[in-house]
Amino acid sequence: MTGTASITGPRPTSTPDPLLAAVARGVRVIDLGRRLYIGMPQSPNHPAYWHTLPRRHGDRVRADGGSAANDMLVMGTHVGTHIDAFAHVSHNGRLHGGADAQEANRGGVYPDHGAHTIAPMVRRGVLLDVPAALGTEVCEPGYEITVADLEAAEEIQGTPVRDGDVVLIRSGWGRRFDAPERDAYIGHDSGVPGVGEAGARWLAARGVHAAGADSIAFERLAPGAGHASLPAHRVLLVEAGVYIIETLDLEEIADRRVHEFTFLLSPLPLFGATGSPVRPLAVVSTAGEAEGRG
């Protein structure tokens, strides 16, 4: 994570656009995305991140002394902070909207359900800080975040979830992302905290546009079970048409007690892909941040 950035634009005597006026008054940007690096923890189900420099400075030098370096990346679309497209999960052979999962794949891509169909998001964001609501620092390994937990965070913070919101659920598990042992974050043996089917149905009933978490699979993983069962993915992606954002960094925004904010996210337009790496941002006014609200 690269931290926050304060942005204050020129202060014109009159600004016709309210959004530009808000930027002119000053905003703070909180980065919710993870730094991508070789060896970072990730689901074993996806191709690992790899970065190399096929050309380095000095490999070729122009007559004027100039030189350039360039990169090559190899990675799965569900590695690091990323968003799941509706093509990612099927149930009983069906994708969201009832499409046949095999027929929806045409020429090796998903034209109707791929990542390119996810519109850029500029929406109200809500952070539900579950450990804070429970009076602890982090949820226990394998803990299922209940509807009561979500509603407690909602009430304590004074941030009711509304139709069309993007809801980010903090379990505190994100603190393990850069642990010396990458398996600590993956949590195969210990389990990973997160919502279960009941929590997913609560989010869907609230009409959220997308839901995210600071863990590797968004939802609760039972100890020793890995990704054997993912009911929240079925409920949100297949049944309700709610996007899922995984591997978020929610520690700084929680430390700043920013529970309501403008949420920005734009997937790469990867035609027919099942997901996309993203760098989500939370934007708050500098005045609102002082009050702990966006």
Side-chain angles (χ1 to χ4, degrees):
M1 188 193 71
T2 57
T4 63
S6 295
I7 301 174
T8 304
R11 299 180 179 273
T13 55
S14 62
T15 304
D17 184 87
L19 184 57
L20 289 177
V23 173
R25 287 192 297 270
V27 297
R28 183 174 297 278
V29 179
I30 304 174
D31 194 340
L32 306 177
R34 292 286 179 185
R35 180 182 301 168
L36 301 175
Y37 60 88
I38 295 172
M40 64 182 171
Q42 63 165 84
S43 167
N45 297 329
H46 302 286
Y49 173 86
W50 188 260
H51 167 254
T52 187
L53 293 170
R55 179 176 295 179
R56 303 168 188 248
H57 292 293
D59 289 347
R60 288 191 179 183
V61 180
R62 295 191 298 267
D64 64 359
S67 180
N70 56 44
D71 311 72
M72 183 173 71
L73 299 177
V74 177
M75 64 183 297
T77 57
H78 300 269
V79 175
T81 308
H82 63 276
I83 188 168
D84 294 345
F86 295 150
H88 182 46
V89 170
S90 65
H91 186 68
N92 291 332
R94 298 290 171 179
L95 296 172
H96 176 61
D100 184 283
Q102 292 186 338
E103 293 180 0
N105 185 330
R106 302 195 293 275
V109 296
Y110 294 92
D112 301 324
H113 298 79
H116 67 286
T117 65
I118 307 173
M121 299 178 194
V122 182
R123 291 178 175 266
R124 176 178 181 255
V126 173
L127 172 70
L128 294 182
D129 192 343
V130 175
L134 297 178
T136 186
E137 293 186 0
V138 59
C139 293
E140 292 295 322
Y143 176 76
E144 181 172 342
I145 295 173
T146 66
V147 170
D149 296 337
L150 299 174
E151 291 180 342
E154 193 183 34
E155 182 176 356
I156 291 169
Q157 298 171 182
T159 52
V161 174
R162 301 171 186 158
D163 184 77
D165 287 349
V166 175
V167 177
L168 309 182
I169 301 170
R170 177 179 176 268
S171 67
W173 200 254
R175 296 182 177 185
R176 301 185 177 214
F177 186 82
D178 289 316
E181 295 293 332
R182 66 192 299 270
D183 289 344
Y185 184 73
I186 297 172
H188 180 274
D189 294 333
S190 67
V192 177
V195 299
E197 181 170 349
R201 292 201 181 281
W202 182 87
L203 291 164
R206 294 297 182 98
V208 304
H209 182 70
D214 54 358
S215 59
I216 199 164
F218 174 74
E219 60 185 286
R220 182 239 183 190
L221 300 180
H227 295 70
S229 177
L230 300 175
H233 276 66
R234 167 177 51 80
V235 170
L236 295 178
L237 290 176
V238 181
E239 298 177 10
V242 175
Y243 299 110
I244 294 176
I245 309 163
E246 295 166 328
T247 319
L248 287 159
D249 185 348
L250 302 179
E251 292 306 295
E252 181 176 358
I253 194 171
D255 288 344
R256 290 180 175 273
R257 298 177 60 81
V258 175
H259 301 131
E260 185 178 20
F261 45 90
T262 298
F263 178 83
L264 305 179
L265 179 149
S266 185
L268 298 175
L270 302 173
F271 182 76
T274 64
S276 170
V278 291
R279 188 178 183 180
L281 304 174
V283 182
V284 295
S285 70
T286 51
E289 183 189 35
E291 303 171 0
R293 296 286 295 275

